[in-house]
PDB file of all heavy atoms in Angstrom:
ATOM      1  N   ARG A  15      -1.369  60.367  91.094  1.00 92.00           N
ATOM      2  CA  ARG A  15      -1.076  61.292  92.197  1.00 92.00           C
ATOM      3  C   ARG A  15       0.339  61.091  92.774  1.00 92.00           C
ATOM      4  O   ARG A  15       0.501  60.621  93.909  1.00 92.00           O
ATOM      5  CB  ARG A  15      -2.072  61.144  93.350  1.00 92.00           C
ATOM      6  CG  ARG A  15      -3.537  60.976  92.982  1.00 92.00           C
ATOM      7  CD  ARG A  15      -4.201  62.241  92.541  1.00 92.00           C
ATOM      8  NE  ARG A  15      -5.636  62.169  92.755  1.00 92.00           N
ATOM      9  CZ  ARG A  15      -6.527  61.659  91.905  1.00 92.00           C
ATOM     10  NH1 ARG A  15      -6.115  61.175  90.735  1.00 92.00           N
ATOM     11  NH2 ARG A  15      -7.821  61.641  92.198  1.00 92.00           N
ATOM     12  N   PRO A  16       1.400  61.423  92.017  1.00 92.00           N
ATOM     13  CA  PRO A  16       2.767  61.210  92.514  1.00 92.00           C
ATOM     14  C   PRO A  16       3.022  61.799  93.896  1.00 92.00           C
ATOM     15  O   PRO A  16       3.797  61.226  94.671  1.00 92.00           O
ATOM     16  CB  PRO A  16       3.624  61.897  91.447  1.00 92.00           C
ATOM     17  CG  PRO A  16       2.821  61.779  90.194  1.00 92.00           C
ATOM     18  CD  PRO A  16       1.387  61.944  90.637  1.00 92.00           C
ATOM     19  N   ARG A  17       2.384  62.937  94.220  1.00 87.00           N
ATOM     20  CA  ARG A  17       2.573  63.528  95.552  1.00 87.00           C
ATOM     21  C   ARG A  17       2.107  62.594  96.655  1.00 87.00           C
ATOM     22  O   ARG A  17       2.512  62.718  97.801  1.00 87.00           O
ATOM     23  CB  ARG A  17       1.815  64.858  95.657  1.00 87.00           C
ATOM     24  CG  ARG A  17       2.412  65.998  94.873  1.00 87.00           C
ATOM     25  CD  ARG A  17       1.579  67.263  95.066  1.00 87.00           C
ATOM     26  NE  ARG A  17       2.147  68.403  94.373  1.00 87.00           N
ATOM     27  CZ  ARG A  17       1.971  68.675  93.075  1.00 87.00           C
ATOM     28  NH1 ARG A  17       1.220  67.851  92.352  1.00 87.00           N
ATOM     29  NH2 ARG A  17       2.519  69.727  92.508  1.00 87.00           N
ATOM     30  N   PHE A  18       1.211  61.672  96.309  1.00 88.00           N
ATOM     31  CA  PHE A  18       0.620  60.804  97.312  1.00 88.00           C
ATOM     32  C   PHE A  18       1.078  59.351  97.195  1.00 88.00           C
ATOM     33  O   PHE A  18       0.523  58.481  97.867  1.00 88.00           O
ATOM     34  CB  PHE A  18      -0.916  60.851  97.200  1.00 88.00           C
ATOM     35  CG  PHE A  18      -1.492  62.231  97.350  1.00 88.00           C
ATOM     36  CD1 PHE A  18      -2.645  62.588  96.656  1.00 88.00           C
ATOM     37  CD2 PHE A  18      -0.899  63.183  98.164  1.00 88.00           C
ATOM     38  CE1 PHE A  18      -3.189  63.856  96.779  1.00 88.00           C
ATOM     39  CE2 PHE A  18      -1.423  64.462  98.287  1.00 88.00           C
ATOM     40  CZ  PHE A  18      -2.573  64.798  97.601  1.00 88.00           C
ATOM     41  N   TRP A  19       2.081  59.078  96.354  1.00 93.00           N
ATOM     42  CA  TRP A  19       2.532  57.696  96.204  1.00 93.00           C
ATOM     43  C   TRP A  19       2.906  57.063  97.539  1.00 93.00           C
ATOM     44  O   TRP A  19       2.634  55.890  97.768  1.00 93.00           O
ATOM     45  CB  TRP A  19       3.744  57.647  95.271  1.00 93.00           C
ATOM     46  CG  TRP A  19       3.409  57.729  93.816  1.00 93.00           C
ATOM     47  CD1 TRP A  19       2.160  57.822  93.245  1.00 93.00           C
ATOM     48  CD2 TRP A  19       4.335  57.727  92.727  1.00 93.00           C
ATOM     49  NE1 TRP A  19       2.249  57.880  91.886  1.00 93.00           N
ATOM     50  CE2 TRP A  19       3.568  57.824  91.529  1.00 93.00           C
ATOM     51  CE3 TRP A  19       5.716  57.652  92.638  1.00 93.00           C
ATOM     52  CZ2 TRP A  19       4.166  57.841  90.271  1.00 93.00           C
ATOM     53  CZ3 TRP A  19       6.325  57.677  91.383  1.00 93.00           C
ATOM     54  CH2 TRP A  19       5.548  57.767  90.216  1.00 93.00           C
ATOM     55  N   ARG A  81      -3.084  70.554  89.835  1.00 64.00           N
ATOM     56  CA  ARG A  81      -2.288  69.499  90.469  1.00 64.00           C
ATOM     57  C   ARG A  81      -2.786  68.090  90.163  1.00 64.00           C
ATOM     58  O   ARG A  81      -2.056  67.120  90.317  1.00 64.00           O
ATOM     59  CB  ARG A  81      -2.244  69.714  91.984  1.00 64.00           C
ATOM     60  CG  ARG A  81      -1.578  71.025  92.393  1.00 64.00           C
ATOM     61  CD  ARG A  81      -1.673  71.218  93.893  1.00 64.00           C
ATOM     62  NE  ARG A  81      -1.224  72.542  94.308  1.00 64.00           N
ATOM     63  CZ  ARG A  81      -0.043  72.803  94.871  1.00 64.00           C
ATOM     64  NH1 ARG A  81       0.807  71.834  95.064  1.00 64.00           N
ATOM     65  NH2 ARG A  81       0.282  74.031  95.215  1.00 64.00           N
ATOM     66  N   TRP A 256      -1.928  70.897 100.837  1.00 80.00           N
ATOM     67  CA  TRP A 256      -0.767  70.479 100.049  1.00 80.00           C
ATOM     68  C   TRP A 256       0.508  70.405 100.883  1.00 80.00           C
ATOM     69  O   TRP A 256       1.548  69.964 100.388  1.00 80.00           O
ATOM     70  CB  TRP A 256      -0.576  71.419  98.859  1.00 80.00           C
ATOM     71  CG  TRP A 256      -1.722  71.309  97.906  1.00 80.00           C
ATOM     72  CD1 TRP A 256      -2.741  72.203  97.722  1.00 80.00           C
ATOM     73  CD2 TRP A 256      -2.025  70.210  97.032  1.00 80.00           C
ATOM     74  NE1 TRP A 256      -3.638  71.746  96.785  1.00 80.00           N
ATOM     75  CE2 TRP A 256      -3.234  70.524  96.346  1.00 80.00           C
ATOM     76  CE3 TRP A 256      -1.392  68.993  96.761  1.00 80.00           C
ATOM     77  CZ2 TRP A 256      -3.805  69.657  95.420  1.00 80.00           C
ATOM     78  CZ3 TRP A 256      -1.969  68.136  95.831  1.00 80.00           C
ATOM     79  CH2 TRP A 256      -3.155  68.480  95.175  1.00 80.00           C
ATOM     80  N   PRO A 259       1.418  66.115 102.488  1.00 84.00           N
ATOM     81  CA  PRO A 259       2.363  65.095 101.986  1.00 84.00           C
ATOM     82  C   PRO A 259       3.766  65.279 102.569  1.00 84.00           C
ATOM     83  O   PRO A 259       4.468  64.293 102.829  1.00 84.00           O
ATOM     84  CB  PRO A 259       2.345  65.333 100.470  1.00 84.00           C
ATOM     85  CG  PRO A 259       0.981  65.866 100.201  1.00 84.00           C
ATOM     86  CD  PRO A 259       0.683  66.763 101.375  1.00 84.00           C
TER      87      PRO A 259
END
Side-chain angles (χ1 to χ4, degrees):
R15 318 284 204 273
R17 288 180 178 83
F18 302 147
W19 281 359
R81 298 175 188 257
W256 295 105

